[in-house]
Amino acid sequence: MRGTGWELPTPPLPRLEGRIEANVCVIGLGGSGLSALARLQKNRVRNLVGIDAVGVAAGAAGRNGGFLLAGPAHFHHRAVQTWGRAAAVELYRLTEARIEEMARRWPDLVDLRGSVRLPGSAAEADDIAAHHQALLDDGFTALPYAGPRGERGLLVPGDGVFHPAERCLQLADRVWDKGAWLYGGDPVEVIDGTTVRTAHGEVSAGVVLVCVDGNLQRLLPELDGRVQTVRLQMLATEPVAFGTAQHAMYHRSGLDYWQQRPDGRLFVGGCRDRGDGEEGDPVQEPTDRVQNALDTLLTDVVGVRARVTHRWAGLVGYTPDHLPIVEEVRPGVWAAGGYSGTGNVIGALAGEALADAVSGRPRHPLLDALGAVAG
Ligand SMILES: Cc1cc2nc3c(=O)[nH]c(=O)nc-3n(C[C@H](O)[C@H](O)[C@H](O)COP(=O)(O)OP(=O)(O)OC[C@H]3O[C@@H](n4cnc5c(N)ncnc54)[C@H](O)[C@@H]3O)c2cc1C
């Protein structure tokens, strides 16, 4: 019953052995790191190395809910209040455009079926109304949605779902074909200047891009306190009746979420507030407490009784202000991570922003948007 519901045979990568040189070394082969490598290649930067502790999509990028939601980790009204309208609108606009681009680029993997926010309480219904109004005020598309029990929800028709692991594998294939060297099987133990060391080898790089969401602060201890690791858990069921979840569904402000795959299976995640030790230094393993709460979510909220086939967990990075880290942390060492639970879209932008920053390209609009954050 363990293992992710995404079930992809991930080909093993060669182990880094001995000393090699690279113009850029990217650490982490999830959606962010692979997007960085693809962008570096587009920017015509040669001699690229990518390293992962395990392999392609071994972390959250291959274990997540598969939601593609416009906006950063804060809902739009909260983002406007907290960061100011200019930054909030630009972050929403960039992520919305990025989802459209992903749908064009990966038509077989992306399904723009819309997302639905359902209220978990009366107070949340009011918050949804404010969320809805803020989107309309800024010209974004949002529609009212009546939940199965008559709840007043919010439908964002441009949002969608995708197969996160398959997209990483396809990206890895492309960057490999274009000449990047990819290694796996050993974690990076230390970044010394711009030299990256594993147990069996080292990369002497011009620049290092650390594209790691969960446990980012382990590789870059100076980020301790600015980002913390959080465990998120999911389950997958056997196929159930089609139409059980027609959109990417979430409630309790996104703490719980579910979607139905094209083969009829339900993927259900969340309940981290029902767990114990989900924050701090968790291991990437499902726990009974959260999985029991997910079982209850499945029957009581999703409204389905079905056999559970998979249970799994993944690690992500949360920042106190919910803004991602996308910056040069040390001379020649850049970091992207801390997406606070929603890195599928903004993570791709962050990886590209780092790639542009180190290849002499104009400043990426994500950095402008983050730079416009008030306060
Ligand atoms: C259960 C769950 C559900 C989620 N649902 C959604 C969702 O629906 N929508 C959404 O947008 N986001 C979701 N997220 C968050 C999203 O998955 C992440 O934010 C995103 O995948 C981050 O991508 P990444 O490439 O930055 O990091 P990761 O996918 O974590 O990739 C980092 C890679 O770095 C490697 N690594 C780590 N340490 C080292 C080291 N020392 N040396 C070498 N390699 C190392 C790891 O093996 C991993 O492959 C979810 C996450 C989880 C766990």
Side-chain angles (χ1 to χ4, degrees):
M1 267 228 288
R2 299 235 160 167
T4 90
W6 297 110
E7 284 174 331
L8 275 185
T10 313
L13 294 174
R15 194 182 288 274
L16 175 69
E17 286 179 358
R19 184 172 181 278
I20 58 171
E21 295 193 351
N23 284 330
V24 183
C25 176
V26 175
I27 303 174
L29 297 176
S32 312
L34 290 163
S35 297
L37 283 164
R39 183 71 152 220
L40 286 162
Q41 289 177 328
K42 191 172 174 210
N43 293 347
R44 303 192 178 285
V45 180
R46 307 260 181 253
N47 195 9
L48 305 175
V49 166
I51 301 188
D52 198 281
V54 184
V56 172
R63 307 173 154 262
N64 68 64
F67 282 30
L68 297 171
L69 303 183
H74 274 324
F75 293 130
H76 189 59
H77 61 312
R78 198 72 61 212
V80 170
Q81 282 163 8
T82 317
W83 302 327
R85 169 153 281 119
V89 167
E90 188 57 7
L91 286 169
Y92 198 93
R93 203 188 58 71
L94 281 173
T95 47
E96 188 183 51
R98 181 64 201 212
I99 292 172
E100 285 167 16
E101 190 195 323
M102 285 168 105
R104 277 195 303 275
R105 202 190 305 175
W106 315 97
D108 297 340
L109 303 184
V110 176
D111 175 2
L112 298 187
R113 62 173 75 161
S115 71
V116 165
R117 181 179 173 197
L118 285 175
S121 65
E124 194 180 353
D126 293 341
D127 195 60
I128 289 177
H131 180 182
H132 192 169
Q133 192 57 49
L135 288 171
L136 297 179
D137 288 348
D138 286 323
F140 298 118
T141 307
L143 303 169
Y145 181 88
R149 298 166 195 87
E151 317 94 301
R152 285 176 298 129
L154 167 66
L155 168 65
V156 176
D159 286 346
V161 294
F162 79 146
H163 195 309
E166 175 73 47
R167 177 241 196 176
C168 284
L169 280 183
Q170 291 195 17
L171 263 176
D173 257 2
R174 287 186 198 183
V175 299
W176 177 275
D177 279 350
K178 289 186 180 168
W181 289 98
L182 305 182
Y183 297 94
D186 277 334
V188 170
E189 292 177 345
V190 71
I191 305 167
D192 179 5
T194 54
T195 297
V196 170
R197 294 208 171 90
T198 67
H200 299 96
E202 67 178 45
V203 184
S204 169
V207 182
V208 179
L209 308 185
V210 184
C211 296
V212 171
D213 193 13
N215 284 330
L216 178 60
Q217 74 284 1
R218 279 203 190 161
L219 269 172
L220 297 170
E222 54 270 69
L223 294 178
D224 216 358
R226 287 188 56 199
V227 60
Q228 77 160 335
T229 303
V230 171
R231 175 170 56 207
L232 303 178
Q233 303 193 36
M234 296 195 69
L235 58 76
T237 71
E238 64 187 346
V240 302
F242 283 107
T244 302
Q246 292 180 359
H247 308 282
M249 309 294 293
Y250 62 100
H251 89 157
R252 295 204 304 130
S253 298
L255 273 172
D256 304 330
Y257 44 92
W258 59 98
Q259 65 144 307
Q260 188 167 26
R261 297 301 302 155
D263 58 12
R265 295 183 300 154
L266 281 174
F267 281 32
V268 181
C271 299
R272 91 181 142 89
D273 57 327
R274 309 277 155 82
D276 189 16
E278 306 309 300
E279 294 160 13
D281 196 16
V283 292
Q284 191 170 267
E285 283 295 326
T287 63
D288 287 348
R289 280 175 79 128
V290 171
Q291 291 294 326
N292 289 341
L294 287 173
D295 287 341
T296 306
L297 174 68
L298 176 66
T299 52
D300 294 6
V301 179
V302 184
V304 165
R305 288 192 185 279
R307 192 172 61 86
V308 172
T309 56
H310 298 81
R311 299 185 187 273
W312 70 96
L315 302 181
V316 297
Y318 271 66
T319 60
D321 59 6
H322 280 21
L323 282 171
I325 291 168
V326 192
E327 63 190 46
E328 188 172 23
V329 175
R330 299 175 194 165
V333 180
W334 295 69
Y339 308 116
S340 302
T342 62
N344 283 337
V345 186
I346 209 159
L349 290 167
E352 291 174 0
L354 293 195
D356 283 0
V358 303
S359 43
R361 306 292 300 175
R363 196 171 143 92
H364 192 282
L366 177 66
L367 296 184
D368 288 332
L370 293 174
V373 166

